[in-house]
Amino acid sequence: MFDFTSARFPLRALTAAAALALAAGAAHAQKGETVKLAYIDALSGLMGPVGQNQVKTFQFLAEKFNKSNPAGVKFEVVTFDNKLSPAESLNLLKAAADQGIRYIMQGNGSSVALALADAVQKHNDRNPGKEIIYLNYSAVDPDLTNSKCSYWHFRFDADTSMKMEALTTFMKDQPDVKKVYLLNQNYAHGHQVAKYAKEMLARKRPDVQVVGEDLHPLAQVRDFAPYVAKIKASGADTVITGNWGSDLALLVKAANEAGYNGKFFTYYTGVTGTPTALGTGGAGRVYQVAYSHYNMGGEPQKLANEFKAKFNDDMYTMSVDHIYLMLSQAMANAKSTDPVKVAAALEGLTVKSFNGDVTMRKSDHQLQQALYISVWQKADAKYPYSPENTGMTLAPVKQYESYVSSTPTSCQMKRPG
């Protein structure tokens, strides 16, 4: 099922022998070594289904990369349930460190991400020789690669500002978008979505009115009907939301039940639960900005189809693919699994991936990659993949190369030594 000869995946075509050749005849110290990766995220509670899906993604793709990767290493995923709590995450980081795990992965919740990035930095400062790298697959607060950037933190998703840059570039050419309502979760990411939406709409579409703005508790609201009533009363024709998990699924469900016919511009329509909540409602009205979509074609499509056949679930966190792809290449280049050497090799690394050439920008460790706008519609012959067996799909309507959505960084990276 996994074709390593694809021209779009040249790095994966490296067999163990080719990986050895890469080393110009020198033995790869890491070949055959098992690299443990600590997954620290919510596996229970309202956001548990998202974490459970992502663990399956990490394990599924680990199996693929374990068959062949440039470094010849084996990846093993060790799971920790942080219950979406920053405090619990810090305890789990210590537990992972005590087990000798040198790579941690987290992505759900920027409040958790900010706490972890700071804790990893402090751990590494205090424990030379036992450094840890933090691989962030989906926490998108821009501060993580700006004012609070850390040498040991690498982000594989596009941040909130990058996604809003692409989203508002697309919205600029939508004349029926006139009155916008901002509804977001009351934590770092939600605040940033609202902030950048206002800034970028003012710059690109000064005629658009923001007619309402709300923040609600993260992963606590079970009935969004009162929020939808306020949206309808405001006269908004468009909602911009960075909500994810149950907070988006329940929002769109309430909007459908209330007969709200406006557009939704989202970050996470493809995530567990939301496709089912949308059902056939929202066709042509719900948009998503992301670094991938359900109908990528080629190797990603084969993977998605195999994942669905195996788990009856949808693989939407493709930043996991980027983590394995770039981590194994960095280990091959460094000829080591030592986080100090691997971090240096990750900086500035460019690889070919499912969305073209992607680069880990050296100045702030923010991955630069293409972004896609997709729209919720009936699955058809051209875009057949149907998430959660809804008969619907997210069909791509626009692709923006990395330079379009790239945003400047204020990061003043403090490097070791």
Side-chain angles (χ1 to χ4, degrees):
M1 291 293 290
F2 197 70
D3 177 13
F4 289 96
T5 62
S6 167
R8 295 187 65 198
F9 286 72
L11 289 173
R12 294 190 192 157
L14 291 165
T15 61
L20 285 173
L22 248 182
H28 268 233
Q30 78 277 18
K31 187 175 185 303
E33 188 178 334
T34 296
V35 177
K36 289 189 176 184
L37 307 169
Y39 175 93
I40 301 175
D41 243 318
L43 295 170
S44 57
L46 274 175
M47 297 305 190
V50 177
Q52 295 286 355
N53 172 284
Q54 289 164 336
V55 165
K56 284 185 281 195
T57 303
F58 271 107
Q59 291 170 337
F60 175 78
L61 290 177
E63 284 180 24
K64 301 299 180 185
F65 277 86
N66 287 352
K67 290 175 185 172
S68 179
N69 66 73
V73 297
K74 304 291 184 192
F75 294 109
E76 180 187 333
V77 181
V78 183
T79 59
F80 297 85
D81 181 5
N82 71 2
K83 303 175 178 64
L84 209 63
S85 158
E88 182 69 15
S89 300
L90 300 188
N91 293 334
L92 296 176
L93 170 64
K94 185 177 185 309
D98 288 347
Q99 291 180 33
I101 300 174
R102 310 287 292 279
Y103 295 89
I104 68 159
M105 308 177 300
Q106 182 272 341
N108 297 333
S110 290
S111 51
V112 172
L114 288 159
L116 277 177
D118 180 58
V120 167
Q121 181 69 54
K122 286 174 179 168
H123 167 89
N124 291 354
D125 288 346
R126 293 169 187 155
N127 298 280
K130 294 182 179 177
E131 289 84 0
I132 288 172
I133 288 180
Y134 169 21
L135 306 163
N136 172 3
Y137 61 88
S138 60
V140 293
D141 185 337
D143 283 349
L144 286 158
T145 47
N146 284 284
S147 62
K148 294 178 180 171
C149 66
S150 164
Y151 177 78
W152 304 104
H153 165 269
F154 294 84
R155 175 157 45 204
F156 293 82
D157 199 342
D159 79 19
T160 304
S161 65
M162 295 165 72
K163 288 180 179 175
M164 191 58 73
E165 194 69 63
L167 206 54
T168 50
T169 298
F170 180 77
M171 292 173 71
K172 175 173 64 70
D173 300 322
Q174 305 292 310
D176 54 342
V177 174
K178 294 175 178 148
K179 294 184 176 183
V180 169
Y181 200 101
L182 305 173
L183 182 67
N184 289 286
Q185 295 151 318
N186 191 10
Y187 79 111
H189 163 62
H191 291 237
Q192 298 279 16
V193 171
K195 171 179 178 280
Y196 286 106
K198 285 183 280 193
E199 284 179 10
M200 293 180 188
L201 282 173
R203 175 160 43 93
K204 299 174 189 180
R205 281 287 305 275
D207 59 305
V208 168
Q209 289 178 264
V210 175
V211 294
E213 183 177 350
D214 255 321
L215 293 165
H216 64 81
L218 173 67
Q220 293 177 39
V221 179
R222 293 180 181 275
D223 180 12
F224 278 86
Y227 292 100
V228 174
K230 288 174 77 173
I231 292 167
K232 289 180 76 174
S234 74
D237 52 57
T238 301
V239 176
I240 296 178
T241 181
N243 280 18
W244 58 277
S246 62
D247 286 340
L248 183 58
L250 294 173
L251 170 61
V252 298
K253 181 173 178 281
N256 277 347
E257 289 170 353
Y260 177 67
N261 295 316
K263 288 183 175 180
F264 278 86
F265 286 93
T266 78
Y267 282 46
Y268 301 114
T269 291
V271 174
T272 302
T274 305
T276 296
L278 270 170
T280 54
R285 296 189 293 108
V286 179
Y287 294 84
Q288 172 181 272
V289 59
Y291 54 79
S292 65
H293 55 81
Y294 282 127
N295 295 277
M296 297 291 289
E299 285 306 314
Q301 208 64 55
K302 287 182 186 177
L303 283 174
N305 293 340
E306 186 182 340
F307 186 88
K308 184 152 195 169
K310 185 171 183 177
F311 298 111
N312 191 28
D313 204 351
D314 304 301
M315 187 167 64
Y316 49 77
T317 312
M318 289 300 289
S319 54
V320 177
D321 188 86
H322 281 155
I323 285 177
Y324 288 130
L325 185 59
M326 298 193 87
L327 195 57
S328 57
Q329 188 61 46
M331 287 173 175
N333 293 352
K335 301 181 179 61
S336 175
T337 59
D338 177 359
V340 175
K341 294 177 180 174
V342 173
L346 272 172
E347 284 201 299
L349 181 63
T350 297
V351 298
K352 287 200 178 300
S353 92
F354 58 83
N355 60 355
D357 286 346
V358 299
T359 300
M360 184 57 72
R361 189 163 63 182
K362 185 173 181 177
S363 57
D364 60 347
H365 297 180
Q366 169 62 61
L367 193 68
Q368 304 296 299
Q369 59 189 323
L371 295 178
Y372 303 87
I373 310 291
S374 55
V375 66
W376 188 245
Q377 66 170 50
K378 195 173 167 74
D380 56 25
K382 189 174 182 183
Y383 301 117
Y385 188 92
S386 176
E388 299 181 4
N389 306 313
T390 53
M392 305 291 283
T393 195
L394 282 167
V397 291
K398 193 78 177 175
Q399 176 180 346
Y400 293 106
E401 294 307 319
S402 59
Y403 68 85
V404 176
S405 58
S406 182
T407 51
T409 181
S410 61
C411 173
Q412 300 292 313
M413 182 107 25
K414 181 188 165 201
R415 289 178 164 78

